Amino acid sequence: MTLRRDLTKMLSAQPRSVSSIARAMGLDRGDVEDHLRHAIRSARAAGHQVIIEPAKCRQCGFTFSEDKLSKPGKCPACRGTRLYEPQIRIA
């Protein structure tokens, strides 16, 4: 199987963050994000539903946009660095 098919299969099983995918596949987070964007486009084109739970600040609850797949550095509202990573799932 190809890397992107493995990625799609992994996201179909359970929601994952970019960091957890990178650890599981032994890749760099930047590489995973590039492959993930393509896999999401392919999944949507194939008629699958892509569910992205956006990144969220643990301190003030600010929710980032769904476009941001990797963990942001700081919260723009409170400047806190304690953030939940976005979770991606393909249904």
Side-chain angles (χ1 to χ4, degrees), residues 11-86:
L11 292 174
S12 296
Q14 68 181 25
R16 305 285 297 254
S17 67
V18 172
S19 296
S20 68
I21 294 167
R23 276 191 304 273
M25 298 181 107
L27 298 171
D28 185 45
R29 281 190 298 185
D31 294 336
V32 168
E33 190 172 348
D34 291 338
H35 290 296
L36 185 58
R37 288 194 187 280
H38 189 275
I40 287 172
R41 267 196 320 268
S42 299
R44 285 184 175 148
H48 297 287
Q49 182 184 12
V50 177
I51 301 163
I52 300 173
E53 184 181 323
K56 192 172 186 178
C57 179
R58 292 183 188 194
Q59 292 176 340
C60 72
F62 178 83
T63 303
F64 291 82
S65 71
E66 289 186 4
D67 318 359
K68 187 89 172 143
L69 297 179
S70 60
K71 181 180 174 186
K74 285 185 180 180
C75 173
C78 72
R79 309 308 275 167
T81 56
R82 297 182 59 221
L83 306 169
Y84 290 111
E85 282 192 74

